[in-house]
Amino acid sequence: MHSGKSDPKELGVFLRARRTALTPHQAGLPETTTPRRVAGLRREEVARLSAISTDYYTRIEQGRMRASVPVLEAIARSLRLTGDQRTYLFELAGQPTDEPPARPGPDITPNTRRLLDQLTESPAVVLSDTMDILAWNPLAATVLLDFGQVPEEDRNYVWLLFNDPRLRNLYDDWTSGAHSCVSYLRMHTARHPDDPGLLRLLARMAPHTDFQRWWQNREVAVQGTGNKVFHHPTAGALTLDWDTLNSPTAPGQHIVIWTAPPDSPTARALRHLAAVDRGAPLAHRV
């Protein structure tokens, strides 16, 4: 259990964004013929659904009153928040959550290095909370990008996904992949809003309109598994499942591993790429 750093201003912006995105029908309110002057739910509707007064809810949204845990739970239910969105709400409100505190940690443990060394037929990278690329194995450099050739200040997955055409063009659905990364970053801000690395990244990403639009939407998610299709320049289409492993000894580090079913075309392609790359050092890292 831990208590996040309260951020009333961002809490208000987040609540407004979420009630604006929710229609009365989605919230279970009866249909009316009266024209609506605002998108989504009104404050009084959220208050009624949450069984609190409109004044109480307004004060919370305006950052003038600290909400209790039961009230936050009621608001989360009223706004149909996802699990990640609920966690973000509680973090912004400075209330306890049942997740362990995460702290950035750039030093890779010997066990993690060994894991990367032994993953010879699966690309793998180690990311920080802000998606800095801390370490990678040779197959990740072959399938994704040779991160060792990237300047250290640019070695961030979000930055490269938006700015390096080699990584961007790999994605069959770049929009979905980039959007997910932005949602993950937004989740991180609730726990560590003053993280210097995060603030530097946000400043650098300011010119990107897609990033700014998704960032301002306040969508949050921590997706731990999924599927991606990459278009590799020599191996062709690679359909990869990915999973994120979180180490309890290094909670600020996340190992992302891409795999394919045995004997699938993608698995055979990965084995071929790995065989071509046998001469590379076993584990690259910052």
Side-chain angles (χ1 to χ4, degrees):
M1 301 281 286
H2 78 291
S3 179
K5 181 177 179 180
S6 179
D7 189 348
K9 181 180 178 180
E10 174 62 22
L11 174 63
V13 175
F14 178 68
L15 287 174
R16 288 192 294 275
R18 297 277 61 83
R19 68 177 172 85
T20 299
L22 190 67
T23 67
H25 177 73
Q26 291 170 325
L29 294 173
E31 300 287 346
T32 66
T33 57
T34 305
R36 301 181 68 86
R37 291 178 293 178
V38 296
L41 299 182
R42 304 183 183 97
R43 284 175 176 167
E44 56 266 29
E45 290 171 328
V46 178
R48 185 166 70 251
L49 289 168
S50 304
I52 58 177
S53 70
T54 300
D55 179 67
Y56 187 9
Y57 177 80
T58 300
R59 286 172 179 268
I60 294 171
E61 193 174 283
Q62 292 178 344
R64 296 187 289 125
M65 179 172 286
R66 183 181 176 90
S68 66
V69 170
V71 168
L72 289 174
E73 290 283 13
I75 292 173
R77 288 193 298 269
S78 300
L79 293 177
R80 303 295 195 267
L81 299 187
T82 65
D84 288 336
Q85 290 171 340
R86 174 194 172 277
T87 298
Y88 187 66
L89 173 69
F90 274 63
E91 293 281 359
L92 292 176
Q95 293 288 6
T97 68
D98 51 9
E99 294 183 13
R103 292 292 182 268
D107 296 328
I108 305 301
T109 67
N111 289 353
T112 299
R113 295 188 192 278
R114 190 180 309 118
L115 175 62
L116 291 179
D117 292 349
Q118 295 176 357
L119 288 170
T120 58
E121 295 185 357
S122 294
V125 300
V126 181
L127 302 178
S128 72
D129 281 336
T130 54
M131 304 194 77
D132 288 332
I133 301 163
L134 305 178
W136 59 96
N137 66 358
L139 196 54
T142 300
V143 172
L144 300 170
L145 185 65
D146 187 352
F147 302 113
Q149 301 301 314
V150 175
E152 188 170 339
E153 63 271 19
D154 294 342
R155 217 173 283 165
N156 177 279
Y157 204 88
V158 174
W159 170 260
L160 292 171
L161 197 54
F162 278 82
N163 291 279
D164 194 310
R166 293 172 297 177
L167 185 60
R168 179 173 181 139
N169 293 338
L170 276 178
Y171 276 69
D172 180 70
D173 186 353
W174 176 87
T175 299
S176 175
H179 196 174
S180 295
C181 288
V182 176
S183 298
Y184 177 89
L185 272 182
R186 172 58 80 175
M187 191 75 184
H188 174 65
T189 64
R191 299 189 183 103
H192 306 291
D194 300 323
D195 185 322
L198 175 65
L199 297 178
R200 284 194 299 270
L201 177 62
L202 295 180
R204 297 187 72 193
M205 295 302 296
H208 294 278
T209 55
D210 283 335
F211 180 92
Q212 290 300 321
R213 184 175 70 256
W214 295 331
W215 186 258
Q216 294 304 325
N217 284 344
R218 263 74 180 181
E219 294 183 20
V220 291
V222 179
Q223 188 176 359
T225 187
N227 178 273
K228 286 285 182 291
V229 176
F230 292 144
H231 294 285
H232 192 269
T234 60
L238 301 175
T239 302
L240 293 164
D241 300 315
W242 62 271
D243 293 274
T244 302
L245 309 179
N246 301 312
S247 170
T249 59
Q253 297 177 4
H254 315 280
I255 307 169
V256 183
I257 305 173
W258 287 266
T259 62
D263 297 323
S264 66
T266 294
R268 291 194 291 271
L270 290 178
R271 284 196 295 271
H272 173 73
L273 290 173
V276 171
D277 200 39
R278 292 296 185 202
L282 280 179
H284 300 259
R285 61 195 68 100
V286 175

